């Protein structure tokens, strides 16, 4: 399995994608009318947003990914399965967690998908 995170300038290769959570927030607008009825303006959902978690087996690789992801930019996650690949910008927290054994590091990224 080949995974990569790239912004077009730098590329990082996590060992594993250990977590993926996504939501689509609605942009529909509800209108409460004075007579008690409800009107709805239908709008498409916002792009997916959520949290990605990537496993690194080297502290230097995890810290390099953290430092690069902290900078502004559009990132591409690429997986062997094309349907899992997507473009995103960071939104929310960027967290690095060290395992008890100090053998692995998890980089968690809050993201918003972009076209």
């Amino acid at each position: 399995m080949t995974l990569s995170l790239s912004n077009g300038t730098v590329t990082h290769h996590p060992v594993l994608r250990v977590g993926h959570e996504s939501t689509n927030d609605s942009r529909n607008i509800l209108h409460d009318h004075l007579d008690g009825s409800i009107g709805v303006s239908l709008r498409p959902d916002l792009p997916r947003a959520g949290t990605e978690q990537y496993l690194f087996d080297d502290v230097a690789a995890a810290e390099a990914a953290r430092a690069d992801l902290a900078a502004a930019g559009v990132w591409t996650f690429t997986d062997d399965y094309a349907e899992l690949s997507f473009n995103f910008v960071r939104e929310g927290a960027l967290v690095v967690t060290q395992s008890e054994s100090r053998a692995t590091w998890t980089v968690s990224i809050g993201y918003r998908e972009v076209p």
Side-chain angles (χ1 to χ4, degrees):
M1 177 174 13
T2 305
L3 305 176
S4 68
L5 291 166
S6 178
N7 66 3
T9 304
V10 297
T11 301
H12 298 280
H13 296 281
V15 174
L16 187 64
R17 182 188 198 190
V18 293
H20 170 81
E21 174 259 326
S22 70
T23 60
N24 289 81
D25 289 332
S26 172
R27 295 190 312 162
N28 292 335
I29 301 170
L30 300 177
H31 309 279
D32 292 325
H33 298 154
L34 293 175
D35 66 1
S37 65
I38 296 175
V40 180
S41 296
L42 300 174
R43 302 191 53 192
D45 283 358
L46 287 169
R48 289 184 300 174
T51 304
E52 289 282 305
Q53 296 176 322
Y54 301 103
L55 183 75
F56 290 87
D57 59 1
D58 178 82
V59 67
E63 281 301 314
R66 184 205 55 77
D68 289 337
L69 286 159
V74 176
W75 287 85
T76 300
F77 169 72
T78 306
D79 190 294
D80 289 341
Y81 298 102
E83 59 272 13
L84 300 179
S85 301
F86 70 105
N87 298 322
F88 67 93
V89 293
R90 277 209 33 251
E91 179 178 70
L94 171 62
V95 179
V96 177
T97 307
Q98 176 183 305
S99 67
E100 268 187 50
S101 66
R102 299 181 71 170
T104 60
W105 290 261
T106 303
V107 177
S108 300
I109 305 162
Y111 74 90
R112 169 76 60 185
E113 186 175 26
V114 295

